[in-house]
Structure formats: C-alpha cells, structure tokens
Amino acid sequence: MRREFIAKLCELAASDRRIMLLTADLGFSVVEPFAQAYPDRFVNVGVAEQNMIGVATGLAEAGFLPFCYSIATFATLRPYEFIRNGPVAHELPVRIVGVGGGFDYGTGGSTHHSLEDIAVMRALPGMMVLAPIDGPQAAAALQCLWSAPSPIYFRLGKDSPQVAISGGRFEFARAQTLRRGTDILLISTGAMVVETMRAAEILAGAGMLAMVLSVPCLAPAPLADLRSALADASAVLTIEAHQQAGGLGSLVAEVLAEARLARPFRRLAASQPGAGRGGSAAWLLERNGLTADAIAVAAQTLLF
C-alpha cells in the first residue's frame, strides 16, 4: 500500500510543484522514487516528528502541499499538540501519512502498534481521516483529495493485501458496500476489511448471509450511508485493528444512538493492546480475536 501511495504522489508531483514530501528518517526503500525524482522537494527532518509537523505547517502557510511520512504512532501521537496547534488551528493543507495502522509493525512491540490514531485524529475539527483497504484505493483517495484545503490523515497499511478488493474505488465521505446479505451487517475499515470479507465467506458456508460495509473515510463520516445500512440491519458487528474507544465502533455506536436504532451490536477491536508484547502481525491479530475465524464466531454469537 505504501508503494502505490508514493507512486501516485510522484505522478501528482510532476504536475504540481507545491507537493513536498517530508520524512522523519523513515520510509527508506519506499520514498526513494520521490526523493530521486524531486530532490529539491524532499526533506528528511531526522527523528523529529514534532519538528516535521512544524516545518510542514510553515510550508503549507507559504503555499506548499506538504506530506509528512512516518510510522502511524510516530506520525500522530508524538507530534499531536503540533498537529492541533498547527494545521488544525490554522486550517492548513498538511497531509499526515501514517504507515502501519494497527499491528502491522508487530515485532516492534507496543510502541509501534498504532491503536489510538483513529480516535485522536477524528477528534480534531476539520481533520479528514482516511483508512483505505489496499493500494489501489489508497491511490484513488490521494487522487481525489491531494489538493483539498483541509488537513488530512492517511492511515495506510504497511503492505497491500495479496488480492486487491476495493476495485480502486474511493468516494469522499462515502462507505462502500462490498458484499450484500440480510442476516448481519459487518462494518470494517482499512486492511481489516480483508479479514472481514473472509469471515463473510465462512459465514456463507454456515448458511448466514453477511453484508460487508467498508468505511475508508472516517472523518467526515459517511453518515447517510451508515444510517441507511444500519436501518436495514438485523444485527451489527464492527471490526477494526484499533482500541475499542474512539474508533470505528464508537463512530457506529454514535450513529446508532443518534438515529435511535435498537440493534444487537458488538464492537470487535484490539482486546489486549500494550503490555509490551511484540510478535508477527498475524499472531497479534489472532491474540486479539481479529482473524476471519474469530470474526465469524463473534457474528454467530451475536445472532444466536
């Protein structure tokens, strides 16, 4: 997913000299195509994420479109006050590219597990929060919003799924129906949509038809699409590689409550974050009940 995003950024930069790429000494083996093509518009600020956002704020004030690239935890949590008081307070087009949402950097330990970023970023007024499923959708989202006047947070997976399922489609502030069914509504975001689709296949084998709704745009939220899907659902399960508080599940709960829709509802999220544990992303997803098999079991439990 990272490589598709940078490839699209290089393409856009060819026709817009305002585009710049900043990195906090990360992304090598990924950012080189941009650095080689546009060396005068590439800046490695070093291990200094707060400074990176400060520099980007100044560049945006001067008319540039700066993209700040780092691992998702370092891109959002370490410079959070700078994001709040810089591009958010001054309504500037700074783009924060957080790579490795959820457990993608699993072996790095809990310091590298990005499980709070959706919550903190969607709390910022005017901040767009995007979590594409795969590389084609990441490129499509960038193509759609690269010149938007607001700050944007792109939550990218470290790698693309082996099979792209988004179809390269992205619509701003819209959800995407990937599978239709009437027994239960499964709502997911980002790369976790892949496991959710696999869970829907497992459920189909058991005679249960699940609707799968992807939410690649978390802020502004696709409220009309969510209300419509929730109104037709008999039960609702949200799935995300994020802490339960403040993420996709919280967004859906807000919509359910405000629409006064009473439905069996459960939020599947990171159940055992932190504790200094590291391991492969696959092991951590299994440990947190976020595999396709675990999602299918949760759906069946919710219904019966």
Side-chain angles (χ1 to χ4, degrees), residues 9-93:
L9 189 64
C10 288
E11 178 186 319
L12 294 169
S15 58
D16 192 336
R17 289 193 55 80
R18 297 176 301 163
I19 292 175
M20 296 188 67
L21 178 61
L22 288 70
T23 179
D25 209 30
L26 286 168
F28 298 102
S29 80
V30 177
V31 300
E32 282 87 349
F34 190 99
Q36 291 165 7
Y38 312 107
D40 58 332
R41 289 187 272 157
F42 175 77
V43 181
N44 180 3
V45 302
V47 185
E49 290 81 3
Q50 294 174 335
N51 288 343
M52 179 169 66
I53 298 300
V55 170
T57 300
L59 288 169
E61 183 69 41
F64 291 94
L65 294 175
F67 286 74
C68 301
Y69 183 103
S70 190
I71 291 175
T73 49
F74 307 152
T76 58
L77 300 182
R78 187 172 293 168
Y80 190 68
E81 184 186 13
F82 282 66
I83 297 168
R84 175 182 178 270
N85 295 341
V88 171
H90 298 279
E91 301 178 344
L92 293 169

Side-chain angles (χ1 to χ4, degrees), residues 146-227:
W146 62 278
S147 62
S150 303
I152 306 174
Y153 173 51
F154 292 94
R155 188 193 212 230
L156 303 183
K158 182 182 176 185
D159 300 302
S160 277
Q162 290 183 343
V163 178
I165 62 174
S166 70
R169 298 187 302 276
F170 174 83
E171 293 181 78
F172 179 58
R174 295 295 306 271
Q176 184 180 18
T177 301
L178 297 177
R179 186 184 181 104
R180 297 201 175 271
T182 56
D183 292 324
I184 189 169
L185 172 60
L186 307 179
I187 308 178
S188 190
T189 188
M192 279 306 302
V193 174
V194 177
E195 287 296 316
T196 303
M197 289 289 283
R198 290 173 181 154
E201 291 287 345
I202 295 170
L203 292 171
M208 294 173 56
L209 299 179
M211 177 175 174
V212 177
L213 191 70
S214 168
V215 183
C217 187
L218 293 142
L223 297 178
D225 291 339
L226 286 172
R227 290 189 194 106

Side-chain angles (χ1 to χ4, degrees), residues 81-123:
E81 184 186 13
F82 282 66
I83 297 168
R84 175 182 178 270
N85 295 341
V88 171
H90 298 279
E91 301 178 344
L92 293 169
V94 171
R95 286 78 172 93
I96 299 160
V97 184
V99 178
F103 294 111
D104 281 6
Y105 284 98
T107 54
S110 57
T111 57
H112 288 57
H113 301 164
S114 190
L115 303 172
E116 307 88 4
D117 56 321
I118 294 173
V120 299
M121 296 304 276
R122 83 178 187 96

Side-chain angles (χ1 to χ4, degrees), residues 243-254:
Q243 286 196 20
Q244 194 176 71
L248 172 67
S250 292
L251 169 60
V252 173
E254 291 162 12

Side-chain angles (χ1 to χ4, degrees), residues 235-248:
V236 182
L237 180 67
T238 61
I239 305 101
E240 60 190 312
H242 188 274
Q243 286 196 20
Q244 194 176 71
L248 172 67

